[in-house]
């Protein structure tokens, strides 16, 4: 039990030129095995053309407790969205 | 279902007044259909119940490979063999998605495996029945995967994010399983009299155990109310079972085979099929470990785990050696 293979987070890029997306995790002893396992577990139906595997212990994450401090300031800055500025209907291409 | 009679450890559902502030906020999020993520605060009972439910579901996927694996070397054609292997490989994947989801709740993979092997954790009753003929592979895909889909589609909306996301992936793959099973049943029922008899025999043996998969009647399900309040159980056992019967009977009619239930009949007023009494004593015996294959299934899993121990250890030793060489270089 002390010898459990470490956990890896798997990211897959699909064919359509989108960014790599987190798809799940798996256990593997080393990087090569992580890629091989990711291929078997997460791309059995042409889900992707590229795999990233990152050791879960290397992922740095924001904590749920910081949610308000981090994300709430954006709520009041509605002028960051184009819809904030009403445009005259006669004016085109804006 | 794949997770049957999951103990919530709770006697009754708490009312608003009995809840702590944290519990109230938690329940409010669930009521508003906001997903709970692993690092969010959650009641200990919710965490423990989910670990039980998700790990039981994962174990079912893994043990569920065994009855089907029994037929890989005896599939009637190379095409059927390739399809069966792909289906079984999917089930391994389902088990892995679900183990990962459970791990986010703070239990290790090795602990879950140990709990399965010690008998502390359960897997679905259905996988303790034997696969006696090739037709059983058809019946399993059609009925067992069919029943699993019934249960898993609503779970895509369950309250715990990692579990819900695993369900979405799984549901995408399940309909291949159900169709390949029905396709086997179609071939057999269009074949010789002997082949058709095989299909009927498989249905006879798998029908009642499939209905038992959904778990005991609602009136006897002690833990359902809490699981429903937490949205980790979306539809009740009886609702799911009724839906399954309603969808499956016409499929059997098309095959020209009949359910082994003399009481089965359409009720036009209720707009549902009525079906006969389920032998719950059989279900309870299987859960207790006295089904036809319980001992065999668990022994196979334990042997695979023990026999693989040196491989797991060697892989870790190899990784450690390479890492230390890299540090030196
Ligand atoms: Fe599955
Ligand atoms: Fe399946």
């Amino acid at each position: 039990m002390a010898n459990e293979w470490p956990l890896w987070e798997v990211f897959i890029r699909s064919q359509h030129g989108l960014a790599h997306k987190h798809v799940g995790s798996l256990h593997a002893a080393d990087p090569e095995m992580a890629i091989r396992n990711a291929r078997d577990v997460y791309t059995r139906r042409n889900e992707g053309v590229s795999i990233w595997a990152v050791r879960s212990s290397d992922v740095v994450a924001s904590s749920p407790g910081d949610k308000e401090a981090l994300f709430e300031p954006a709520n009041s800055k509605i002028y960051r969205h184009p819809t904030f500025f009403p445009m005259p209907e006669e004016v085109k291409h804006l | 279902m794949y997770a049957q009679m999951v103990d919530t450890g709770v006697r009754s559902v708490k009312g608003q007044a009995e809840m702590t502030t944290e519990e109230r906020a938690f329940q409010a999020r669930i009521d508003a259909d906001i997903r709970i993520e692993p690092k969010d605060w959650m009641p200990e009972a919710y965490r423990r119940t989910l670990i039980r439910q998700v790990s039981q579901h994962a174990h079912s996927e893994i043990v569920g490979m065994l009855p089907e694996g029994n037929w890989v070397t005896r599939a009637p054609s190379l095409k059927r063999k390739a399809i069966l292997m792909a289906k079984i490989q999917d089930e391994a994947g389902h088990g892995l998605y679900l183990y990962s989801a459970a791990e986010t709740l703070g239990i290790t993979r090795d602990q879950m495996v140990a709990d399965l092997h010690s008998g502390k954790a359960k897997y679905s009753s259905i996988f303790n029945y034997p696969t006696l003929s090739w037709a059983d592979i058809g019946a399993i895909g059609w009925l067992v995967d069919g029943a699993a889909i019934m249960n898993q589609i609503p779970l895509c909306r369950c309250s715990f994010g990692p579990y819900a996301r695993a369900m979405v992936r799984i549901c995408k793959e399940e309909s291949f399983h159900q169709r390949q099973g029905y396709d086997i049943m179609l071939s057999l029922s269009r074949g010789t009299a002997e082949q058709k008899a095989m299909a009927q025999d498989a249905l006879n043996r798998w029908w009642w155990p499939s209905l038992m998969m959904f778990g005991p009647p609602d009136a006897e399900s002690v833990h359902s109310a809490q699981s429903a309040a937490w949205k980790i159980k979306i539809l009740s056992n009886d609702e799911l079972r009724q839906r399954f019967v309603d969808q499956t009977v016409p499929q059997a009619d098309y095959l020209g085979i009949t359910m082994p239930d003399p009481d089965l009949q359409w009720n036009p007023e209720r707009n549902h099929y009525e079906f006969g009494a389920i032998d719950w004593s059989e279900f309870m015996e299987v859960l207790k470990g006295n089904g036809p294959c319980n001992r065999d299934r668990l022994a196979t899993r334990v042997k695979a785990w023990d026999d693989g121990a040196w491989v797991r250890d060697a892989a870790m030793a190899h990784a450690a050696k390479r890492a230390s060489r890299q540090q030196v270089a």
Side-chain angles (χ1 to χ4, degrees):
Chain A
M1 194 156 296
N3 218 12
E4 191 176 273
W5 288 352
L7 195 64
W8 302 72
E9 299 304 320
V10 179
F11 301 79
I12 304 278
R13 179 154 54 74
S14 64
Q15 267 120 338
H16 315 293
L18 298 170
H20 284 78
K21 190 174 166 239
H22 184 241
V23 292
S25 45
L26 50 76
H27 288 269
D30 58 37
E32 290 78 22
M33 194 194 285
I35 296 288
R36 263 201 306 273
N37 288 357
R39 174 224 180 240
D40 286 345
V41 180
Y42 293 108
T43 65
R44 291 193 303 282
R45 289 180 175 77
N46 300 93
E47 286 90 341
V49 292
S50 166
I51 301 170
W52 287 351
V54 182
R55 275 180 89 129
S56 308
S57 56
D58 289 341
V59 172
V60 183
S62 65
S63 90
D66 294 339
K67 206 151 73 186
E68 280 152 37
L70 290 174
F71 307 116
E72 229 149 62
N75 287 349
S76 57
K77 300 179 178 55
I78 46 171
Y79 43 80
R80 285 178 170 163
H81 300 277
T83 45
F84 178 75
F85 306 92
M87 288 291 129
E89 228 170 87
E90 304 85 298
V91 186
K92 301 293 177 205
H93 306 299
L94 270 172
Chain B
M1 191 30 55
Y2 277 16
Q4 292 157 330
M5 304 179 69
V6 178
D7 187 351
T8 55
V10 167
R11 293 254 160 271
S12 64
V13 181
K14 279 191 193 173
Q16 284 284 328
E18 301 161 88
M19 290 183 185
T20 64
T21 322
E22 272 169 325
E23 285 171 336
R24 254 196 302 273
F26 175 82
Q27 189 61 48
R29 287 187 65 187
I30 289 189
D31 294 342
D33 282 326
I34 299 170
R35 289 275 156 74
I36 307 301
E37 294 297 337
K39 287 187 174 169
D40 295 338
W41 185 89
M42 60 184 83
E44 227 4 69
Y46 176 85
R47 180 193 303 276
R48 278 198 305 267
T49 303
L50 262 177
I51 287 178
R52 265 192 291 267
Q53 176 170 341
V54 180
S55 67
Q56 192 183 126
H57 197 153
H59 296 324
S60 300
E61 304 283 353
I62 298 298
V63 177
M65 293 191 280
L66 299 176
E68 296 183 305
N70 188 30
W71 280 90
V72 169
T73 57
R74 292 176 288 159
S77 68
L78 189 58
K79 178 182 134 196
R80 291 289 187 197
K81 181 175 177 168
I83 292 170
L84 181 58
M85 285 198 297
K87 197 261 188 197
I88 295 172
Q89 197 186 14
D90 275 355
E91 304 301 4
H94 296 177
L96 297 180
Y97 309 154
L98 289 163
Y99 280 134
S100 304
E103 283 173 86
T104 66
L105 291 158
I107 185 169
T108 65
R109 179 81 56 98
D110 282 2
Q111 185 60 53
M112 285 187 271
V113 172
D115 288 347
L116 173 68
H117 293 178
S118 73
K120 185 180 167 219
K122 301 287 176 214
Y123 57 88
S124 175
S125 57
I126 193 77
F127 300 118
N128 291 311
Y129 290 85
T131 40
L132 303 178
S133 84
W134 171 252
D136 290 25
I137 299 304
I140 288 180
W142 172 37
L143 301 174
V144 176
D145 290 87
I149 293 173
M150 261 303 119
N151 176 255
Q152 290 174 158
I153 286 181
L155 282 176
C156 294
R157 295 181 279 119
C158 79
S159 62
F160 187 56
Y163 191 29
R165 291 190 284 273
M167 279 301 130
V168 170
R169 286 190 75 82
I170 288 174
C171 286
K172 278 189 199 156
E173 300 179 346
E174 285 294 1
S175 87
F176 147 55
H177 300 176
Q178 193 187 20
R179 284 186 178 205
Q180 66 86 35
Y182 196 73
D183 189 59
I184 291 172
M185 297 304 272
L186 266 176
S187 296
L188 290 170
S189 61
R190 286 169 179 164
T192 62
E194 218 182 336
Q195 286 170 322
K196 196 162 177 179
M198 276 171 70
Q200 180 65 59
D201 169 62
L203 174 59
N204 291 348
R205 284 180 293 105
W206 289 94
W207 177 245
W208 291 108
S210 298
L211 294 193
M212 292 174 201
M213 277 177 76
F214 295 96
D218 295 347
E220 289 153 41
S221 306
V222 226
H223 303 289
S224 293
Q226 181 60 73
S227 293
W230 281 336
K231 293 192 187 165
I232 54 178
K233 186 174 183 134
I234 312 291
L235 295 173
S236 81
N237 297 352
D238 286 334
E239 272 175 292
L240 289 166
R241 188 164 20 242
Q242 183 68 61
R243 284 188 187 196
F244 177 71
V245 172
D246 290 346
Q247 99 172 11
T248 310
V249 173
Q251 296 166 351
D253 291 344
Y254 186 85
L255 295 171
I257 54 180
T258 48
M259 307 308 183
D261 179 359
D263 298 325
L264 184 78
Q265 56 172 331
W266 177 251
N267 179 333
E269 273 112 78
R270 277 184 62 228
N271 236 323
H272 287 299
Y273 282 95
E274 310 274 2
F275 50 94
I278 295 171
D279 178 6
W280 290 109
S281 63
E282 175 182 323
F283 175 75
M284 295 316 289
E285 279 305 309
V286 175
L287 283 200
K288 270 192 251 162
N290 301 323
C293 299
N294 293 59
R295 251 158 260 160
D296 193 49
R297 297 285 184 247
L298 211 52
T300 307
R301 283 309 313 152
V302 171
K303 184 178 186 311
W305 181 255
D306 291 347
D307 288 355
W310 72 272
V311 180
R312 294 192 300 276
D313 291 343
M316 279 302 275
H318 179 67
K321 187 177 76 185
R322 292 224 324 209
S324 69
R325 274 191 196 150
Q326 251 176 0
Q327 261 166 7
V328 173

